[in-house]
Amino acid sequence: MTKDTQKLNSIEKAIEILLKFQEAKSHWGIRELSAELSFSPATVQRILQILKSYDFVRQDPATRQYFIGNIFYRFLQTLNATNSLTVLGKNFLNEVARQTKETVHLNVIEDSFRICIDHIESPMVLKASMPVGHRSPLYAGASAKCLLAFSSQAFIDNYLAEVNLEQLTENTITQPERLQKELESIRSQGYAISLGERTPGLGSLSVPVFDYDGLIQASLSLAVPEVRIKQEDHLEFCINILVEQAGAFSKALGFKTGQF
Amino acid sequence: MTKDTQKLNSIEKAIEILLKFQEAKSHWGIRELSAELSFSPATVQRILQILKSYDFVRQDPATRQYFIGNIFYRFLQTLNATNSLTVLGKNFLNEVARQTKETVHLNVIEDSFRICIDHIESPMVLKASMPVGHRSPLYAGASAKCLLAFSSQAFIDNYLAEVNLEQLTENTITQPERLQKELESIRSQGYAISLGERTPGLGSLSVPVFDYDGLIQASLSLAVPEVRIKQEDHLEFCINILVEQAGAFSKALGFKTGQF
DNA sequence: AACAGTGTTTCATAATATAAAACAGTTGCG
DNA sequence: CGCAACTGTTTTATATTATGAAACACTGTT
């Protein structure tokens, strides 16, 4: 989101400040934020004091710098209980986990990124990890490409026009034309596969979940270590289970088979 | 937190509104919130529009009611990467998980509740679940009691004076005197145990993690199904590993053994 | 000691948030 | 159908509140 320039009301300023506390830069001083956002130091100071009093941010007593507060953990419980995708999806994730023994995860688009909203980690010793909240761009990895592939053409075109296809690994797709073809191929076969597009050695399978309107709501995915995704029979087995459970999930959301 | 009465600035009002979207009541209308918080409908309306534009809340197109937005998933990634407890703790959680094969979790106090900030689920078929963000009162369950037991006496007294010890299950401790004795016992033996104090059939073991000041920062815990926690040798084995890893964790935070 | 950084506080002024009321839809009921 | 009682939303004049510049207090460094 991140709105442009000046002329924000105080709530928007508070939100813009909160959004600055990202993984890339987790600790901020007041004058630093002031310069970054073009708010006066007094304003930044006042807003941070308010946010601090609610534990949205905390302050390091030694450096006096601010960082994100623990209150956000609390909203997670609300999300898990409220979000119909995580509530309904629980059974399907469990079923995929039970049958495949791989790390299962459920993803949605949030602010032009794929974000993991639920997961069950593999019981195996060699496993891929995918914590809730994990974010990645929409062009790299099966779960991300799957979400993008089944979005509206307008969304895809807009995304491709704005995004910079950064080379994250040697397998990342960096040419828009190749990505377009890949998306077409995902749509025609009904699922997405990737190997090391974002993280070397990490394979991924993903199938879309649709709602009653036929709109993509999530992608149901497996994160599989390279050695196991290269086993043809295991791969096929996993895809079948994913397709089956994602289909049942879509049905539970009111999607009618053959709706298109 | 939840500040009293009127005379809040607009940012505080926005936060108070956000905090109303809890598990217990996840969907709110404008006049409903207006009545609940004594803000005028126009104010609630304006604030919700701002929050909506940043995806802090969403609006159901059919009912027009508001519910929590997906942006909070995004802050989780920041927390995981920023919070020194989750970053440092990863290794110790892994080690406990590897050795015990039970569900491991890390907890802190947030707003007078125990909240789970990291977890690794058991690879076993019969297992206890403990998702990140899971909240419980400080008087029920080993992880919660452990956090309370090693807090300052002032905090404990204040907590016991304010809290209502609700009977969550038939095993919940509901008498303040019994809870005080239980806390003493936890302090003297160095770990906490519970069985079905919050959820029937769910057992729990927990050991405190201290920082360089000797203050409790977290509790490292196992969630174990009743049938396995009743096995004496398994119980003892689990406690030993927890004590060992929580000790190493404390040391990593600068705690000196025998600091008290 | 002087300097160059912090975070923080003060205060008059200007901008913004506010509540009441009106508006615009929806639902339920006789 | 039509009234009533709900919704969420918009308007507007007024008063509260947020604002930036400057000063302050404190740090560590040169």
Side-chain angles (χ1 to χ4, degrees):
Chain A
M1 181 47 70
T2 308
K3 301 187 179 175
D4 294 325
T5 64
Q6 304 292 95
K7 288 295 153 199
L8 300 171
N9 61 49
S10 60
I11 297 175
E12 290 174 321
K13 283 180 184 165
I15 294 175
E16 291 291 347
I17 287 175
L18 273 181
L19 290 174
K20 280 293 159 192
F21 292 88
Q22 299 287 334
E23 206 181 348
K25 175 139 180 57
S26 58
H27 290 245
W28 289 86
I30 286 195
R31 288 183 132 88
E32 213 176 5
L33 276 170
S34 165
E36 173 82 13
L37 293 165
S38 311
F39 305 156
S40 95
T43 301
V44 174
Q45 161 72 9
R46 190 181 46 85
I47 291 175
L48 281 175
Q49 288 305 324
I50 297 168
L51 293 176
K52 184 181 165 184
S53 74
Y54 280 93
D55 201 23
F56 276 73
V57 299
R58 296 186 172 189
Q59 189 173 24
D60 187 314
T63 65
R64 284 182 167 177
Q65 290 207 313
Y66 293 83
F67 58 96
I68 199 118
N70 277 358
I71 203 173
F72 290 98
Y73 287 118
R74 203 197 309 178
F75 286 103
L76 201 64
Q77 192 181 28
T78 309
L79 275 174
N80 281 334
T82 302
N83 194 325
S84 60
L85 283 174
T86 53
V87 173
L88 266 172
K90 220 70 182 171
N91 295 329
F92 306 107
L93 266 75
N94 277 328
E95 197 53 31
V96 175
R98 188 183 66 80
Q99 291 190 53
T100 64
K101 309 273 186 235
E102 299 288 357
T103 295
V104 196
H105 51 114
L106 189 65
N107 307 275
V108 297
I109 294 178
E110 156 72 24
D111 190 35
S112 290
F113 283 83
R114 171 204 66 90
I115 196 159
C116 171
I117 65 169
D118 204 0
H119 77 148
I120 298 174
E121 297 229 336
S122 164
M124 308 192 69
V125 176
L126 177 65
K127 64 172 181 181
S129 190
M130 181 56 66
V132 174
H134 191 283
R135 240 157 62 110
S136 70
L138 287 174
Y139 58 84
S143 335
K145 289 188 300 184
C146 183
L147 285 169
L148 186 58
F150 292 95
S151 292
S152 72
Q153 194 59 48
F155 181 88
I156 297 174
D157 292 341
N158 185 56
Y159 180 75
L160 290 178
E162 303 223 326
V163 77
N164 171 31
L165 300 177
E166 215 178 319
Q167 184 110 38
L168 304 171
T169 68
E170 58 179 16
N171 289 353
T172 310
I173 300 172
T174 54
Q175 299 157 9
E177 311 78 37
R178 258 201 65 208
L179 186 56
Q180 282 275 23
K181 285 209 173 137
E182 171 74 2
L183 297 180
E184 266 176 51
S185 144
I186 291 169
R187 278 191 293 269
S188 69
Q189 68 186 359
Y191 59 87
I193 302 191
S194 67
L195 180 53
E197 292 182 2
R198 186 175 46 75
T199 308
L202 178 64
S204 181
L205 307 172
S206 189
V207 181
V209 176
F210 301 103
D211 67 6
Y212 52 90
D213 272 337
L215 298 172
I216 186 163
Q217 287 293 309
S219 66
L220 183 63
S221 313
L222 285 177
V224 185
E226 181 162 5
V227 286
R228 287 206 293 275
I229 210 170
K230 279 183 169 169
Q231 294 165 12
E232 286 282 348
D233 51 344
H234 183 61
L235 175 63
E236 200 179 327
F237 175 72
C238 286
I239 290 173
N240 285 337
I241 288 166
L242 268 186
V243 169
E244 184 182 306
Q245 294 302 320
F249 194 167
S250 295
K251 206 172 162 187
L253 289 175
F255 180 71
K256 305 275 184 279
T257 323
Q259 192 162 331
F260 296 122
Chain B
M1 180 47 67
T2 309
K3 300 187 180 177
D4 294 326
T5 64
Q6 304 293 95
K7 288 296 153 198
L8 299 171
N9 60 49
S10 60
I11 297 174
E12 290 174 321
K13 284 180 184 166
I15 294 175
E16 292 289 346
I17 288 175
L18 273 182
L19 290 174
K20 280 291 161 193
F21 293 88
Q22 300 287 333
E23 205 182 348
K25 175 138 180 60
S26 58
H27 291 244
W28 288 86
I30 286 197
R31 287 183 130 88
E32 214 175 3
L33 275 170
S34 166
E36 173 83 12
L37 293 165
S38 310
F39 305 155
S40 94
T43 301
V44 175
Q45 160 73 11
R46 191 181 46 85
I47 291 175
L48 281 174
Q49 287 306 324
I50 298 168
L51 293 175
K52 183 180 165 183
S53 74
Y54 281 93
D55 201 23
F56 276 72
V57 300
R58 297 187 171 188
Q59 189 173 23
D60 187 314
T63 66
R64 285 182 169 178
Q65 289 206 313
Y66 292 84
F67 58 96
I68 200 117
N70 278 358
I71 202 172
F72 290 98
Y73 287 118
R74 203 195 312 177
F75 286 102
L76 202 63
Q77 193 180 26
T78 309
L79 274 174
N80 282 333
T82 302
N83 194 326
S84 59
L85 282 174
T86 53
V87 173
L88 267 172
K90 220 71 183 168
N91 295 330
F92 307 107
L93 265 75
N94 276 329
E95 196 53 30
V96 175
R98 189 183 64 80
Q99 291 190 51
T100 65
K101 308 274 187 235
E102 298 289 356
T103 295
V104 197
H105 50 114
L106 190 65
N107 307 275
V108 296
I109 294 178
E110 157 70 26
D111 191 34
S112 290
F113 282 82
R114 173 204 66 91
I115 196 159
C116 171
I117 65 169
D118 205 1
H119 78 148
I120 299 174
E121 298 229 338
S122 165
M124 308 191 70
V125 176
L126 177 64
K127 65 171 180 180
S129 190
M130 180 57 65
V132 173
H134 191 282
R135 242 157 61 109
S136 70
L138 288 174
Y139 58 84
S143 335
K145 290 188 299 182
C146 183
L147 285 169
L148 186 58
F150 291 96
S151 292
S152 72
Q153 194 59 48
F155 181 87
I156 297 174
D157 293 342
N158 184 56
Y159 179 74
L160 290 178
E162 303 223 327
V163 77
N164 171 32
L165 300 177
E166 215 179 318
Q167 183 110 38
L168 305 169
T169 68
E170 58 179 18
N171 289 352
T172 310
I173 300 173
T174 55
Q175 301 156 9
E177 311 78 37
R178 259 200 66 207
L179 186 55
Q180 281 276 21
K181 285 209 173 135
E182 171 75 1
L183 297 180
E184 269 174 49
S185 144
I186 291 168
R187 278 190 294 269
S188 68
Q189 68 185 358
Y191 59 86
I193 302 190
S194 67
L195 179 54
E197 293 183 1
R198 187 175 45 75
T199 308
L202 179 62
S204 180
L205 306 172
S206 188
V207 180
V209 176
F210 301 103
D211 68 5
Y212 52 91
D213 272 338
L215 297 171
I216 186 163
Q217 288 292 312
S219 66
L220 183 63
S221 312
L222 285 177
V224 185
E226 182 164 5
V227 286
R228 288 206 293 276
I229 209 170
K230 279 184 168 168
Q231 294 166 12
E232 285 282 348
D233 51 343
H234 183 60
L235 176 63
E236 201 179 326
F237 175 72
C238 287
I239 290 173
N240 285 338
I241 288 165
L242 268 186
V243 168
E244 183 182 308
Q245 294 302 321
F249 194 168
S250 295
K251 206 172 162 186
L253 290 174
F255 179 70
K256 305 277 185 278
T257 323
Q259 192 162 328
F260 296 122

